[in-house]
């Protein structure tokens, strides 16, 4: 008979072994995006598949299952140990709901669907994507029924990315947007417009890079425990809290591209660096949810990076790198340019306000696809109709419309809402930080971010997956997610930028 201690040690050994494999996959994945030569793709794909399968086997074995069953009834575990076991058991049971054949079918279809999406985008022809997307929707509906759900089948898919999220809660969030945002947008449209020309001058690559490092250091990103590199699509990945990688990209004629990706990924990176090292590979060593992860990137990007105080500190530094480009521009001008609102076609380039219409549109479409009230072939028409309805613009073609995002080709239905949830959590957390940290705004004006980071570490990072997003939000701010805080912050910001009152 093994003691609880021995059983728990065995549990940790298995989970950490799987984590080693998954982090090794992350290294390969990072290299694939950053350095790998084109011919390396096939070998890399098989290496990644082997690691993923091996990790998956470890965590779905019957032996692991019985270990978890035994441990979940043990009464001499510490609070933290109990928490890890509970979460691992949840993961295990969820994994077990998908039969091996289903996982294989989904993985095959994902490759097919992704390739179809690439081809469709290249040729600007939705019909090349439609057949495999339609199969993907069918498979996702099947996945929802395998998982089981209450209410709408989409709830089962949402839960994968944001535990506990459901359409009842999201409808409240998005209905708030539907009521308030158009009014705010209308006021902005009717106000004197601001120019963002100062972002569209020629900013040489090296100086942009140097400035990005200054900003990351200012945010207290630990370069002894991470680094930044270039990639086509900016992302964050982690091999352990002591080795976190972020990437950025530079467009010499559009300063926004590097600036926002650097701060955004920096925020994700700080979260990963702040997860408890002692819980390596265990549930308590992982991020709460996608929504909370996004709250960290958005807090730094939007609440800090797009504030006047931030630019009062950083604009003079930026001017040293680009004296000619920024001649005659003030910190105030730069702040306004950073907050220009303009309905546009591409989600990833949208401003802080209209961004949420892009997410709302995807959310409405996903719900209908999964419930079966929208056929895949009618997707482009529906997409264009909703862009006209919410943003007053119609994409000239499907490439800049329905084919712009990779998510659906990967079968990621239920992912988009986490972008909006993350932004709203960010505003609510920041609102609380302003109350908890006296003089925070003055600190940011002086480029001092240490207290803010400590606050985030204490309130969020150290807990890993201990709480759900909602529990965490209540613990920090005393209430559930409240989208009106986002609206209030936007109204205050656009008062400064556009002189409107709301
Ligand atoms: Co993000």
């Amino acid at each position: 008979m093994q003691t609880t201690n021995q059983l728990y040690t065995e549990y940790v050994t298995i989970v950490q072994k799987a984590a080693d494999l998954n982090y090794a996959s992350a290294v390969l994945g990072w290299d694939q995006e950053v350095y790998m030569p084109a011919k390396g793709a096939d070998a890399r794909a098989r290496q990644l598949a082997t690691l993923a399968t091996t990790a998956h086997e470890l965590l779905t074995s019957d032996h692991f299952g019985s270990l978890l069953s035994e441990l979940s009834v043990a009464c001499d575990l510490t609070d933290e140990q109990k928490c890890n076991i509970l979460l691992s058991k949840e993961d295990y049971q969820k994994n077990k709901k998908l039969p091996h054949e289903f996982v294989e079918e989904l993985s095959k279809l994902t490759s097919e669907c992704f390739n179809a999406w690439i081809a469709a985008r290249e040729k600007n022809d939705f019909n090349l994507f439609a057949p495999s997307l339609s199969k993907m929707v069918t498979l996702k509906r099947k996945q929802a029924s395998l998982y089981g759900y209450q209410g709408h089948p989409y709830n089962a898919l949402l839960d994968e990315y944001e535990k506990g999220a459901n359409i009842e809660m999201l409808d409240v969030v998005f209905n708030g947007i539907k009521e308030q945002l158009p009014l705010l947008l209308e006021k902005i449209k009717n106000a004197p417009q601001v120019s963002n020309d100062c972002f569209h001058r020629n900013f040489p690559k090296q100086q942009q890079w140097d400035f990005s490092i200054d900003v990351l250091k200012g945010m207290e990103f630990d370069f002894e425990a991470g680094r930044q590199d270039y990639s086509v699509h900016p992302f964050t990945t982690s091999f352990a809290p002591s080795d976190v990688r972020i990437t950025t990209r530079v467009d010499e004629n559009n300063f926004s591209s590097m600036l926002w990706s650097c701060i955004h990924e920096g925020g994700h990176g700080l979260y990963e660096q702040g997860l408890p090292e002692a819980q390596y590979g265990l549930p308590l060593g992982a991020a709460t949810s996608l929504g909370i992860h996004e709250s960290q990137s958005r807090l730094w990007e939007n609440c800090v990076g797009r504030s006047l105080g931030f630019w009062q500190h950083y604009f003079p530094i930026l001017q040293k790198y680009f004296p000619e480009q920024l001649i005659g521009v003030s910190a105030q001008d730069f702040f306004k340019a950073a907050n220009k609102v303009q309905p546009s076609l591409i989600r990833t380039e949208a401003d802080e306000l209209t961004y949420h219409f892009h997410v709302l549109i995807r959310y409405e479409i996903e719900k209908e696809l999964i419930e079966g009230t929208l056929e895949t072939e009618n997707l482009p028409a529906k997409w264009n109709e909703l862009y006209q309805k919410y943003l007053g613009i119609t994409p000239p073609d499907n490439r800049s419309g329905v084919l712009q995002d990779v998510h659906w080709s990967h079968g990621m239905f239920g992912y988009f809402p986490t972008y909006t949830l993350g932004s709203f959590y960010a505003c609510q957390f920041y609102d609380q930080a302003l109350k908890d940290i006296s003089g925070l705004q003055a600190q940011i004006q002086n480029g001092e971010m240490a207290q803010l980071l400590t606050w985030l570490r204490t309130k969020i990072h150290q807990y890993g997956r201990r709480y759900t997003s909602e529990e965490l939000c209540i613990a920090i701010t005393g209430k559930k997610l409240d989208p009106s805080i986002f609206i209030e912050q936007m109204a205050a910001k656009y008062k400064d930028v556009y002189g409107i009152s709301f």
Side-chain angles (χ1 to χ4, degrees), residues 235-349:
F235 67 96
T236 299
T237 187
S238 166
F239 315 147
S242 52
D243 191 354
V244 175
R245 309 300 177 93
I246 60 175
T247 68
T248 190
R249 63 175 164 208
V250 168
D251 177 345
E252 293 202 321
N253 297 310
N254 181 2
F255 188 66
S256 312
S257 187
M258 182 288 293
L259 178 67
W260 304 124
S261 69
C262 155
I263 305 178
H264 183 96
E265 302 307 331
H268 281 304
L270 287 174
Y271 188 11
E272 290 292 332
Q273 287 185 337
L275 291 168
E277 286 226 64
Q279 299 286 340
Y280 173 86
L282 299 165
L284 291 185
T288 309
S289 70
L290 280 180
I292 298 299
H293 225 308
E294 193 68 4
S295 79
Q296 300 305 285
S297 56
R298 294 291 179 185
L299 185 144
W300 287 99
E301 178 192 351
N302 292 336
C303 304
V304 178
R306 290 184 208 262
S307 71
L308 179 58
F310 182 84
W311 289 107
Q312 283 167 337
H313 176 75
Y314 278 103
F315 190 70
I317 298 171
L318 189 65
Q319 270 181 318
K320 285 195 183 127
Y321 286 111
F322 305 109
E324 281 158 30
Q325 290 87 337
L326 296 173
I327 215 160
V329 181
S330 68
Q332 180 86 17
D333 298 335
F334 207 77
F335 156 72
K336 286 187 178 181
N339 287 292
K340 183 178 172 63
V341 173
Q342 177 99 59
S344 62
L345 291 171
I346 307 294
R347 175 184 60 85
T348 54
E349 291 162 16

Side-chain angles (χ1 to χ4, degrees), residues 89-283:
K89 200 172 168 203
E90 264 179 37
D91 296 345
Y92 178 82
Q93 285 169 340
K94 197 159 188 191
N95 273 328
K96 280 295 208 187
K97 283 184 181 167
L98 303 182
H100 187 70
E101 308 79 62
F102 178 87
V103 176
E104 215 167 82
E105 196 185 347
L106 183 61
S107 146
K108 267 195 207 137
L109 182 62
T110 304
S111 308
E112 178 196 314
C113 208
F114 177 66
N115 290 329
W117 173 74
I118 299 267
R121 240 173 91 102
E122 215 171 274
K123 301 233 163 66
N124 196 15
D125 181 358
F126 180 76
N127 293 328
L128 296 176
F129 182 43
S132 33
L133 180 62
S134 171
K135 281 192 253 172
M136 181 60 89
V137 170
T138 307
L139 215 54
K140 284 281 137 179
R141 273 192 229 144
K142 190 171 170 194
Q143 187 172 359
S145 65
L146 286 168
Y147 279 148
Y149 54 85
Q150 287 189 327
H152 199 286
Y154 187 60
N155 288 345
L157 305 177
L158 279 171
D159 194 77
E160 265 209 279
Y161 301 109
E162 194 67 23
K163 191 170 130 187
N166 53 48
I167 61 165
E168 290 70 32
M169 166 239 194
L170 285 176
D171 282 347
V172 173
V173 169
F174 283 111
N175 285 339
I177 300 179
K178 278 197 265 188
E179 274 169 30
Q180 301 282 322
L181 283 201
L183 304 174
L184 193 50
L185 192 56
E186 195 55 29
K187 290 216 164 178
I188 292 172
K189 268 193 206 156
N190 294 328
Q193 294 303 293
V194 302
S195 159
N196 62 358
D197 287 353
C198 54
F199 273 76
H200 298 272
R201 295 173 184 166
N202 186 269
F203 298 95
K205 192 172 178 180
Q206 185 60 46
Q207 283 94 310
Q208 284 202 45
W209 176 266
D210 292 343
F211 179 72
S212 79
I213 300 295
D214 286 349
V215 170
L216 289 168
K217 283 183 179 162
M219 289 165 66
E220 309 273 327
F221 183 84
D222 182 0
F223 278 93
E224 299 280 304
R227 50 179 286 137
Q228 181 180 249
D229 291 272
Y230 288 117
S231 69
V232 180
H233 302 288
F235 67 96
T236 299
T237 187
S238 166
F239 315 147
S242 52
D243 191 354
V244 175
R245 309 300 177 93
I246 60 175
T247 68
T248 190
R249 63 175 164 208
V250 168
D251 177 345
E252 293 202 321
N253 297 310
N254 181 2
F255 188 66
S256 312
S257 187
M258 182 288 293
L259 178 67
W260 304 124
S261 69
C262 155
I263 305 178
H264 183 96
E265 302 307 331
H268 281 304
L270 287 174
Y271 188 11
E272 290 292 332
Q273 287 185 337
L275 291 168
E277 286 226 64
Q279 299 286 340
Y280 173 86
L282 299 165

